[in-house]
């Protein structure tokens, strides 16, 4: 029998998983008669020897959960773990010293799936070829659904194996767990493409703000210290005088005394007076 604390904790986790869903590639539920025993199913990840496989296992929680870790084992042959054999991990009952009471059923499943896809061999693990693992993956569904070989699977997941109208199958539930958790990049829409094509290039056709910014920069330069802009002022004044018969109006930056530009401006002023 589970302690009141363990029952409360596991019931809360069950409610959360029913509301939010199980981790990607997984599905789990407790036995109706014992909240401490949870059956889970893994869907083999893409790009692994387990792709397309369906792997059934059990989490057996202690009476004082969450203060002690669960006992973990797989039933379905996979080539990764020995069937019906306890598995040694940092979050199983083999390592109570490393157990973290903050771990939940959901985080255990996520960690176990990651460990399943690794090649580390310990207690309960085994080494086989990728070819053998692919063969076992192809045969996994038939094994799970054979009552003579895996009676618990058929009993715990019966309504998912034989869904009635409006109910989802186990395959659909596992597929939904992937769709709900995996983020698919947004494809560009027609509006995005039109916007991209019609927006002017800042290099070939600068907008008004860009022009105003350039003019502001020029204004800042014109207000700079005359000593630091002598050559640019002289060039600007020469260009204005060379292209207009009328003297430029406005305040001119003082030219250097005795310079050629000063004498030129005096000559222009005298001619205008005459």
């Amino acid at each position: 029998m589970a302690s009141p604390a363990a029952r409360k904790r596991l019931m809360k986790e069950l409610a959360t998983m029913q509301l939010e869903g199980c981790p990607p590639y997984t599905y789990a539920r407790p036995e109706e008669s014992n909240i401490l025993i949870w059956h889970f199913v893994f869907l083999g990840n893409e790009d692994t020897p387990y792709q397309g496989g369906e792997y059934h296992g059990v989490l057996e929680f202690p009476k004082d959960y969450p203060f002690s870790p669960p006992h973990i084992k797989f039933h379905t042959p996979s080539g990764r773990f020995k069937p019906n054999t306890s598995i040694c991990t940092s979050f199983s009952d083999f390592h109570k010293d490393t157990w973290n009471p903050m771990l939940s059923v959901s985080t255990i499943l996520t960690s176990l799936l990651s460990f399943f896809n690794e090649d580390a061999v310990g207690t309960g693990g085994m080494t086989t070829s990728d070819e053998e693992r692919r063969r076992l993956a192809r045969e996994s569904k038939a094994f799970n659904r054979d009552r003579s070989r895996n009676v618990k699977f058929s009993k715990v997941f019966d309504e998912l194996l034989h869904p009635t109208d409006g109910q989802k199958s186990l395959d659909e539930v596992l597929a939904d767990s992937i769709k709900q958790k995996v983020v698919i990049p947004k494809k560009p829409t027609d509006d995005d493409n039109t916007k991209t094509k019609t927006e002017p290039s800042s290099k070939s056709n600068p907008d008004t703000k860009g022009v105003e910014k350039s003019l502001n920069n020029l204004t800042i330069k014109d207000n700079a210290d005359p000593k630091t802009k002598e050559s640019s002022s002289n060039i600007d004044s020469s260009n204005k005088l060379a292209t207009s018969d009328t003297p430029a109006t406005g305040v001119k930056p003082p030219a250097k005394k005795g310079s050629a530009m000063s004498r030129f401006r005096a000559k222009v002023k005298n001619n205008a007076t005459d």
Side-chain angles (χ1 to χ4, degrees):
M1 289 289 294
S3 67
R7 175 176 291 278
K8 182 179 179 180
R9 170 70 175 264
L10 289 170
M11 289 298 293
K12 182 179 180 180
E13 292 185 28
L14 176 60
T16 300
M17 293 177 70
Q18 289 177 337
L19 179 64
E20 300 179 357
C22 297
Y25 297 92
T26 73
Y27 179 72
R29 62 164 54 168
E31 292 185 358
E32 291 184 2
S33 59
N34 191 346
I35 190 67
L36 294 176
I37 301 179
W38 284 58
H39 292 258
F40 64 85
V41 181
F42 283 172
L43 181 65
N45 289 62
E46 294 84 354
D47 302 323
T48 70
Y50 314 107
Q51 182 172 352
E54 180 188 84
Y55 305 98
H56 170 220
V58 179
L59 302 175
E60 298 178 3
F61 291 96
K63 296 179 180 180
D64 63 342
Y65 176 80
F67 302 106
S68 297
H71 183 75
I72 305 173
K73 58 184 176 182
F74 279 83
H75 290 310
T76 311
S78 63
R80 175 68 178 92
F81 295 113
K82 299 175 183 178
N84 306 310
T85 303
S86 298
I87 297 173
C88 175
T89 72
S90 60
F91 46 87
S92 73
D93 56 354
F94 275 84
H95 292 283
K96 295 182 179 181
D97 56 323
T98 60
W99 168 250
N100 183 352
M102 295 301 293
L103 293 177
S104 63
V105 176
S106 182
T107 54
I108 291 172
L109 291 175
T110 300
S111 299
L112 184 59
L113 179 62
S114 177
F115 186 54
F116 184 84
N117 289 319
E118 296 175 0
D119 289 326
V121 178
T123 302
M126 59 189 301
T127 301
T128 54
S129 65
D130 286 351
E131 182 179 356
E132 175 66 7
R133 291 175 177 178
R134 282 191 286 268
R135 182 187 68 80
L136 292 172
R138 292 191 297 269
E139 299 175 355
S140 59
K141 288 187 178 182
F143 176 89
N144 290 334
R145 287 157 174 74
D146 187 341
R147 287 180 176 271
S148 63
R149 294 191 291 178
N150 197 349
V151 64
K152 276 291 186 179
F153 183 89
S154 299
K155 183 177 181 180
V156 173
F157 302 110
D158 181 67
E159 83 281 4
L160 294 176
L161 300 177
H162 306 92
T164 58
D165 293 341
Q167 292 184 328
K168 292 184 177 181
S169 67
L170 180 60
D171 291 337
E172 291 173 327
V173 170
L174 289 170
D176 286 346
S177 76
I178 303 173
K179 294 177 182 178
Q180 293 173 359
K181 302 293 182 177
V182 178
V183 178
I184 301 175
K186 178 184 176 182
K187 295 182 179 180
T189 62
D190 293 338
D191 292 339
D192 294 334
N193 293 333
T194 302
K195 184 178 180 181
T196 303
K197 293 178 181 179
T198 56
E199 284 182 345
S201 171
S202 59
K203 293 183 180 180
S204 60
N205 185 22
D207 57 14
T208 304
K209 291 183 179 180
V211 174
E212 290 176 352
K213 184 177 180 181
S214 299
L215 292 177
N216 290 335
N217 291 337
L218 290 176
T219 302
I220 294 172
K221 291 181 179 179
D222 289 341
N223 291 331
D225 186 353
K227 293 182 180 181
T228 61
K229 58 179 287 296
E230 177 183 356
S231 59
S232 60
S233 297
N234 293 342
I235 295 173
D236 291 342
S237 300
S238 299
N239 290 338
K240 290 179 181 178
L241 291 172
T243 56
S244 176
D245 294 334
T246 304
T249 60
V251 179
K252 296 288 184 178
K256 187 176 180 181
K257 185 177 180 180
S259 65
M261 180 56 65
S262 178
R263 291 193 298 273
F264 181 77
R265 286 180 176 175
K267 184 176 179 181
V268 172
K269 183 177 180 180
N270 290 337
N271 290 338
T273 303
D274 294 342

